[in-house]
Amino acid sequence: MKITVLFPTKTEASLFHDDDVTCIVSGVGLTATAVATLRAIQQQQPDVLILAGIAGMYPHAPFKIGDVVLVESEVEGDLGFFTPAGFVHLAHLPLDMDFERRHILHCLHLPQKAGFPLARSTSLNAAMAPFIATGELDIENMEGAAFFHVCQQENQRFIELRAISNLVQIGDDQWDMQGSVRAMTAGLHQLIALLRK
């Protein structure tokens, strides 16, 4: 099985090593991730493409810092307009324009009995954006929605794995960067071993 892993940063990639896995540092944010994802699909032609990194957790989420999750859905959270009633996602605006209204993107490639909890995620270029409706979400990151969208458009099998590094709360600086990278790396090895069975 040919596996390629995208990591947003060198820090997130720093502890992972597998001679039979291609690793790519994609860059942070939706734009960099879209470019890197498409290039990885075209150049590597993997059987499975994995996005692996850290993520923030919303206060109501059923996780704790250090947990490793598989992402079952992504929303490009800050795609929309500010209106007198507040922020409205582009998919929900009554615009008289012909365009693709995408909101929740789902991963249909999650392995059975993987041993990881599932998380609903939003992707933002502006982390901790206070105008995002988070009630139906567990975590946030800065890449996943672009990764999901490109993989879906290219009919690429894909999985997103995240380790919880921090609480999404402005002013809360209690990040566990190194601990979450260690947890994510261990989870990634576990996921890849499962995929190879």
Side-chain angles (χ1 to χ4, degrees), residues 67-70 110-118 161 187 190-191 194:
D67 283 353
V68 179
V69 301
L70 289 177
L110 297 173
Q112 297 287 329
K113 300 177 183 177
F116 300 102
L118 301 180
L161 180 90
Q190 181 183 333
L191 174 63
L194 177 67

Side-chain angles (χ1 to χ4, degrees), residues 164-193:
I164 307 301
S165 59
N166 63 288
L167 189 65
V168 178
Q169 192 166 284
I170 294 174
D172 187 326
D173 295 326
Q174 297 181 34
W175 288 55
D176 185 2
M177 188 73 69
Q178 291 306 314
S180 60
V181 170
R182 283 193 301 271
M184 181 270 298
T185 303
L188 182 56
H189 281 290
Q190 181 183 333
L191 174 63
I192 289 171

Side-chain angles (χ1 to χ4, degrees), residues 132-152:
I132 300 301
T134 61
E136 301 291 318
L137 302 168
D138 302 308
I139 65 173
E140 77 170 32
N141 68 81
M142 303 181 89
E143 299 85 20
F147 175 74
F148 271 46
H149 183 62
V150 173
C151 287
Q152 288 176 355

Side-chain angles (χ1 to χ4, degrees), residues 26-73:
S26 61
V28 175
L30 296 165
T31 305
T33 302
V35 171
T37 300
L38 186 58
R39 280 185 181 157
I41 292 168
Q42 292 175 340
Q43 295 173 4
Q44 303 300 322
Q45 298 181 356
D47 296 308
V48 182
L49 186 58
I50 300 171
L51 174 61
I54 61 173
M57 169 187 71
Y58 291 112
H60 59 265
F63 309 124
K64 64 184 183 305
I65 291 175
D67 283 353
V68 179
V69 301
L70 289 177
V71 179
E72 65 178 333
S73 63

Side-chain angles (χ1 to χ4, degrees), residues 89-115:
H89 195 279
L90 184 63
H92 301 138
L93 283 170
L95 295 176
D96 187 20
M97 296 179 71
D98 185 10
F99 66 96
E100 177 190 3
R101 293 179 184 270
R102 65 180 190 276
H103 186 232
I104 300 175
L105 305 170
H106 296 278
C107 180
L108 304 178
H109 309 284
L110 297 173
Q112 297 287 329
K113 300 177 183 177

